[in-house]
């Protein structure tokens, strides 16, 4: 059996394929047609063959039969034809029938291994594009249009609506040029409809964003009427939105319904949103029954918070109590689809888990969940406050029903907030006792609710000037929640009311440390610094508050007042001007402006603002007095009379206003009217000495007979006044300096220094002697 086994020669151990190409050349018949010796032998007789030379041995004598595993020595054929398996130039001729892979070691000798063909050198450069060709120009223009649309969208996202519109218009112009060029070069079927659609849609959106509704509607009409645009009918939703903004509700409903008809039933979410828009439009038009049908369909198919709340509003509008209750229960049952808060609490001390929780605790998804939860709570609280007074016989019973429904739902924590809102509603109805009783029920609740209830109780007692109770509940609120800024502010208020301004400032500071946006604490600490005469710090507080509350009239007035206390009238006037730009009808601010201009010596500006103050509030005695004095100073006594008459109507027991009216009549030359006025004053105030003096003087100047009567009364009153003063003086001396101040008789009044000077000015006026016929 070993006779057929051939071992590989030791001299060529590395050539695994040696011997496969060695075979008997006798069997090589493929090249016989090209073998000249063989063809010559065929054409001639065997006897005429050329003699065998020494170089080409005869096949019959010397050529052995070779096998595939035989020797590598190859011999020539009998006619000089090289043998098929012989080596030619050192390379063995391959045997096709035997070599399957086509690999020979000899063929690769002397060449490097290069499977990727890198030895061939770099590829030739690409052929340069012809930029002048029409196709290339169209391609570049199309790219430019796409870039303009993208820039328009980016500008809109950044809030630059004007730039976005300009880019959209530019894209529209270039797209029309592109269409004309394509029509010249290619067939109309090759026009890029998607690009045309995107350009027109973006242009319409930018028109709508810039409130150019007519242009937006025209552009949408171009898209909708073009049958080549697929699904263009959905844009009728946008057209309906524009009509809704224009308050053209009938057309808005029409386009919403047209869009709803063109949207297939598989797009449920889109159809629900359109139906919600239809329902809102029906509410705006007062068609509540149609709105109810829309929202009921939405709540049965895909319930959501907005639809549920709008359904409650619709039922409230038609006054259906039972359906309001059912709609409220449906609103409560709407799933929020958010994760529980326990997910964001680390169950162990694993640092990797803690890092993951910290990363997701305030990410965008978590913020979106908080917003959704806050929106749900807002809708539920608003709906409860809306329907509670009407679903039952009384407000309290209705609120209790809402609280019970909320307690049985996923919003259990809202029940306490509803109870506190119930107490606040009692406050709005001025039922303080019920509010206090409701809030006192929370004293045994958890710390957060207890703190909120105690804060409201403290505020209630503070309003009723029961500062001890207010302080007690403020302490309870602070102890329940030390980081409650409202509780700290209330505690500071109670301390402020007791006069301890330094301690009050500390409570306000702590409230601000817990919540820097607590405007109440910041305002109160400014008032506290004013009380402590720390005007610079007070001004800093009010300026910070002004940065938060830009149009707060109270803050503007406080800043102006602080500047006035700092003796800077120009700054005070400037801030008061800002104040009246916010509240132009504030008579107090206008009178303060008049006072500042008067102190600066600008009488004309002072008169303007005093007059405006009087026009808005004609009962301010100080303003009336200033205006009357102004007309007297400017020698227009007739105009001053109307102001003093109004003052006498406001304060009928004050004799000085009537005396000023009489003096104005006398100064303006109407002596008879002045005399009648003095006589009327004397009847009302018979013991008024100054009225009698004016009567005596006027009667003397005119020459009336009543002068003696009035003179006698004047002397008697002066004597009685002297006796009274002596008694007062002796009583003061007898009591060891004890002081007893009397206000005088029924006709006497306490004169202000300004009024006394004013009346003296009028009295010093020279009255000519005029004879009056009796």
């Amino acid at each position: 059996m070993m006779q057929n086994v051939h071992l590989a020669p030791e001299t060529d151990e590395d050539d695994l394929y040696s011997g496969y190409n060695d075979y008997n050349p006798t069997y090589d018949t493929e090249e016989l047609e090209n073998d000249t010796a063989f063809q010559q032998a065929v054409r001639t007789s065997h006897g005429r063959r050329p003699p065998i030379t020494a170089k080409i041995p005869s096949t019959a004598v010397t050529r052995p039969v070779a096998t595939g595993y035989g020797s590598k020595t190859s011999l020539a054929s009998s006619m000089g034809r090289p043998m098929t398996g012989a080596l030619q130039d050192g390379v063995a001729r391959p045997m096709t029938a035997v070599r399957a892979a086509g690999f020979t070691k000899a063929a690769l000798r002397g060449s490097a291994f290069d499977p990727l063909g890198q030895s061939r050198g770099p590829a030739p450069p690409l052929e340069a594009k012809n930029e002048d060709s029409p196709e290339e120009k169209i391609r570049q223009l199309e790219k430019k249009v796409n870039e303009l649309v993208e820039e328009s969208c980016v500008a809109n996202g950044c809030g630059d609506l004007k730039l976005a519109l300009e880019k959209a218009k530019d894209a529209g112009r270039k797209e029309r040029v592109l269409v004309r060029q394509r029509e010249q070069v290619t067939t109309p079927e090759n026009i890029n409809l998607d690009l045309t659609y995107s350009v027109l849609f973006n242009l319409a959106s930018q028109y709508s964003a810039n409130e150019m509704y007519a242009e937006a509607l025209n552009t949408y009409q171009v898209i909708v009427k073009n049958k080549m645009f697929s699904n263009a009918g959905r844009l009728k939703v946008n057209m309906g939105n524009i009509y809704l903004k224009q308050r053209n509700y009938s057309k808005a409903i029409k386009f919403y319904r047209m869009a709803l008809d063109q949207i297939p039933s598989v797009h449920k979410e889109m159809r629900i949103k359109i139906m919600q828009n239809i329902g809102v439009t029906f509410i705006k038009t007062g068609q509540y029954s149609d709105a109810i049908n829309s929202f009921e369909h939405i709540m049965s198919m895909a319930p959501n918070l907005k639809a549920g709340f709008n359904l409650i509003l619709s039922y409230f509008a038609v006054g259906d109590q039972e359906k309001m209750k059912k709609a409220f229960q449906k609103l409560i049952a709407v799933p929020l689809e958010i994760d529980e808060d326990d997910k964001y609490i680390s169950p162990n001390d694993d640092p990797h888990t803690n890092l993951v929780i910290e990363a997701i605790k305030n990410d965008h998804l978590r913020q979106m969940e908080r917003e959704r939860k806050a929106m749900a709570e807002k809708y539920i609280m608003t709906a409860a406050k809306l329907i509670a007074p009407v679903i039952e016989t009384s407000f309290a019973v209705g609120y209790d029903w809402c609280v019970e429904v909320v307690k049985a739902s996923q919003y259990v924590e809202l029940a306490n907030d509803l109870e506190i809102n119930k107490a606040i509603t009692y406050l709005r109805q001025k039922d303080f006792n019920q509010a206090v009783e409701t809030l006192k029920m929370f004293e045994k609740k958890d710390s957060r609710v207890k703190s909120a209830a105690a804060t409201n109780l403290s505020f209630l007692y503070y309003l009723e000037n029961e500062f001890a109770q207010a302080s007690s509940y403020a302490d309870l609120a602070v102890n329940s929640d030390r980081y409650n800024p409202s509780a700290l502010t209330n505690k500071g208020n109670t301390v402020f009311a007791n006069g301890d301004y330094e301690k009050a400032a500390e409570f306000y500071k702590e409230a601000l440390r817990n919540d820097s946006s607590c405007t109440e604490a910041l305002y109160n600490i400014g008032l506290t610094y004013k009380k402590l005469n720390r005007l610079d710090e007070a001004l800093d507080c009010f300026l910070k508050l002004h940065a938060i509350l830009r149009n707060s009239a109270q803050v503007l007035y406080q800043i102006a007042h602080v500047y006035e206390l700092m003796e800077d009238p120009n700054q005070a006037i400037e801030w008061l001007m800002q104040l009246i730009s916010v509240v132009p009808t504030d008579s107090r601010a206008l009178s303060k402006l008049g006072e500042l201009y008067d102190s600066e010596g600008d009488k004309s500006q002072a008169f303007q603002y005093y007059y405006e103050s009087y026009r808005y509030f004609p009962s301010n005695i100080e303003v009336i007095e200033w205006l009357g004095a102004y007309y007297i100073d400017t020698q227009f006594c007739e105009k001053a009379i109307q102001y003093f008459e109004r003052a006498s109507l406001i304060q009928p027991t004050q004799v000085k206003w009537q005396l000023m009216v009489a003096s104005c009549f006398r100064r303006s030359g109407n002596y008879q009217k002045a005399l009648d006025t003095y006589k009327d004053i004397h009847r009302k105030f018979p013991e008024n000495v100054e009225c009698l003096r004016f009567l005596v003087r006027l009667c003397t100047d005119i020459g009336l007979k009543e002068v003696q009567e009035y003179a006698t009364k004047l002397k008697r009153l002066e004597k009685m006044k002297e006796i009274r003063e002596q008694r007062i003086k002796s009583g003061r001396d007898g009591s060891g300096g004890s002081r007893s101040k009397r206000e005088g008789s029924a006709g006497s009044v306490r004169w202000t220094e300004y009024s006394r000077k004013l009346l003296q000015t009028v009295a010093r006026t020279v009255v000519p002697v005029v004879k009056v016929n009796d």
Side-chain angles (χ1 to χ4, degrees), residues 221 271 527 534 597 738:
Q221 285 287 359
R271 291 178 63 86
L527 295 179
R534 294 157 63 176
Y597 276 116
S738 64

Side-chain angles (χ1 to χ4, degrees), residues 49-189:
R49 285 185 298 174
I52 300 174
T53 61
K55 292 183 178 180
I56 305 175
S58 172
T59 58
V61 179
T62 60
R63 187 174 65 178
V65 178
T67 64
Y69 295 96
S71 173
K72 289 183 179 181
T73 307
S74 299
L75 300 176
S77 66
S78 59
M79 298 304 295
R81 182 177 63 89
M83 290 182 292
T84 308
L87 291 174
Q88 296 180 359
D89 298 330
V91 179
R93 182 176 179 273
M95 180 178 178
T96 309
V98 178
R99 195 190 71 182
F103 175 81
T104 57
K105 179 180 178 182
L108 297 177
R109 287 173 182 169
S111 62
F113 181 74
D114 187 16
L116 300 179
Q118 297 179 358
S119 61
R120 291 177 294 180
L126 297 175
E127 183 179 355
K129 293 182 179 180
N130 186 6
E131 296 183 357
D132 295 333
S133 64
E135 292 80 3
E136 184 63 25
K137 289 181 179 180
I138 290 174
R139 192 179 299 109
Q140 292 298 327
L141 187 57
E142 184 173 331
K143 181 179 179 182
K144 181 62 178 177
V145 171
N146 280 314
E147 290 176 354
L148 286 172
V149 173
E150 292 178 3
E151 291 173 3
S152 175
C153 296
V154 171
N156 182 279
C158 296
D160 194 347
L161 302 180
K162 186 176 180 181
L163 177 62
L165 180 58
E166 292 297 327
K167 294 288 185 181
K169 288 180 178 179
D170 195 10
R173 288 190 292 267
K174 284 185 168 50
E175 194 273 335
R176 287 191 293 272
V177 174
L178 174 64
V179 170
R180 286 195 295 269
Q181 291 187 5
R182 278 190 178 276
E183 290 176 349
Q184 295 174 1
V185 176
T186 60
T187 59
E189 291 78 7

Side-chain angles (χ1 to χ4, degrees), residues 588-770:
R588 178 61 181 165
L590 291 167
S591 64
K592 177 59 71 173
L593 265 174
E595 180 184 341
L596 289 173
Y597 276 116
D598 188 26
S599 64
E600 291 292 305
D602 193 344
K603 292 288 184 180
S604 60
Q605 286 288 345
F607 169 75
Q608 176 184 348
Y609 289 110
Y610 271 123
Y611 182 77
E612 288 294 316
S613 176
Y614 172 79
R615 190 163 64 89
Y616 290 117
F617 184 62
S619 300
N620 190 334
I621 293 296
E622 295 178 358
V623 174
I624 291 172
E625 185 177 5
W626 191 92
L627 288 171
Y630 173 79
Y631 279 118
I632 290 174
D633 290 341
T634 55
Q635 304 298 321
F636 291 101
C637 298
E638 298 87 350
K639 292 185 178 181
I641 292 173
Q642 61 176 332
Y643 296 102
F644 293 131
E645 284 179 343
R646 179 172 290 277
S648 66
L649 291 175
I650 296 171
Q651 295 179 344
T653 59
Q654 297 288 338
V655 68
K656 65 177 181 178
W657 307 120
Q658 301 182 39
L659 289 174
M660 289 180 178
V661 171
S663 298
C664 289
F665 279 127
R666 183 167 56 88
R667 186 172 182 181
S668 61
N670 194 347
Y671 305 113
Q672 187 62 45
K673 191 68 175 176
L675 181 62
D676 294 340
T677 305
Y678 280 126
K679 287 180 179 181
D680 186 55
I681 295 170
H682 179 64
R683 283 193 300 269
K684 294 178 181 178
F685 305 96
E687 294 185 0
N688 187 272
V689 177
E690 298 194 16
C691 178
L692 284 172
R693 287 175 181 170
F694 283 116
L695 276 172
V696 170
R697 182 176 177 182
L698 189 59
C699 290
T700 302
D701 292 341
I702 297 176
L704 297 178
K705 297 177 181 179
E706 294 93 337
V707 63
Q708 190 62 39
E709 178 185 354
Y710 293 132
T712 303
K713 290 181 180 181
L714 179 60
K715 288 180 181 180
R716 186 171 65 251
L717 285 176
E718 288 178 346
K719 188 174 182 179
M720 290 175 61
K721 183 178 179 182
E722 184 178 353
I723 293 171
R724 191 182 296 115
E725 290 177 355
Q726 288 178 357
R727 287 177 181 177
I728 293 173
K729 185 177 180 181
S730 61
R732 188 183 298 118
D733 295 339
S735 61
S738 64
R739 186 177 181 184
S740 175
K741 184 176 181 181
R742 299 185 58 177
E743 295 296 334
S745 61
S748 63
V749 294
R750 293 181 62 187
W751 292 73
T752 63
E753 187 66 25
Y754 185 78
S755 301
R756 187 179 301 276
K757 290 181 179 179
L758 178 61
L759 194 58
Q760 289 174 356
T761 302
V762 177
R764 284 196 297 268
T765 305
V766 178
V767 181
V769 178
V770 179

Side-chain angles (χ1 to χ4, degrees), residues 205-261:
S205 301
Q206 303 309 331
Y207 275 135
S208 179
N210 284 271
E211 298 183 357
M212 301 172 66
Y213 298 129
E215 292 82 354
L217 289 172
N218 292 335
T219 309
Y220 279 128
Q221 285 287 359
V222 172
I223 303 175
V224 171
K225 290 183 178 180
N226 194 333
K227 301 300 183 182
M228 300 178 68
F229 295 139
S230 60
N231 299 324
R234 301 184 183 185
L235 295 181
K236 291 180 180 179
V237 176
N238 296 18
M239 300 175 71
N241 292 338
I242 293 176
Y243 283 121
L244 184 63
K245 291 178 182 178
Q246 292 179 331
R247 299 185 179 181
N248 192 346
Y249 301 125
S250 59
K251 280 196 173 182
I253 294 173
K254 174 184 176 182
F255 276 88
Y256 284 144
R257 285 177 169 171
M258 291 169 64
L260 191 64
D261 293 339

Side-chain angles (χ1 to χ4, degrees), residues 1 8 298 320 343 376 418 420 447 534 539 546 599 649 749:
M1 293 183 62
I298 294 172
D320 195 333
K343 175 183 177 181
L418 281 173
I420 292 178
S447 59
R534 294 157 63 176
L539 183 61
H546 175 65
S599 64
L649 291 175
V749 294

Side-chain angles (χ1 to χ4, degrees), residues 471-571:
S471 179
S472 174
Y473 279 104
D475 290 334
L476 177 61
V478 171
N479 294 332
S480 301
D481 185 2
R482 187 69 188 181
Y483 299 100
N484 186 349
S486 299
L488 292 167
T489 302
N490 282 348
K491 180 60 179 176
N493 292 343
T494 58
V495 176
F496 184 94
N498 293 327
D500 192 350
Y501 304 124
E502 292 287 353
K503 191 174 181 181
E506 292 299 324
F507 281 108
Y508 295 141
K509 287 179 182 177
E510 187 174 356
L512 287 172
R513 283 195 294 269
N514 293 334
D515 183 6
S516 60
S517 63
C518 183
T519 55
E520 294 85 0
L522 189 56
Y523 184 86
N524 290 351
I525 198 172
L527 295 179
T528 306
Y529 286 144
K530 276 178 62 178
K531 286 286 186 181
L532 295 172
N533 202 29
R534 294 157 63 176
L535 300 179
D536 291 333
E537 296 177 65
L539 183 61
D540 289 340
C541 292
F542 290 125
L543 288 175
K544 290 178 183 177
L545 195 57
H546 175 65
I548 301 172
L549 307 174
R550 300 297 299 180
N551 294 322
S552 173
Q554 294 178 335
V555 176
L556 291 170
Y557 177 79
Q558 291 297 337
I559 294 174
H561 190 225
V562 171
Y563 275 120
E564 184 184 1
L565 295 176
M566 297 172 69
E567 298 181 355
D568 191 349
N570 293 328
Q571 284 291 335

Side-chain angles (χ1 to χ4, degrees), residues 321-340:
Q321 297 179 357
E322 292 301 322
K323 289 190 176 180
M324 270 189 276
K325 290 182 178 180
K326 292 180 181 178
F328 186 75
Q329 291 173 338
K330 289 181 181 179
L331 177 64
I332 292 287
V334 172
L336 277 181
E337 299 179 356
I338 62 175
D339 293 329
E340 298 294 334

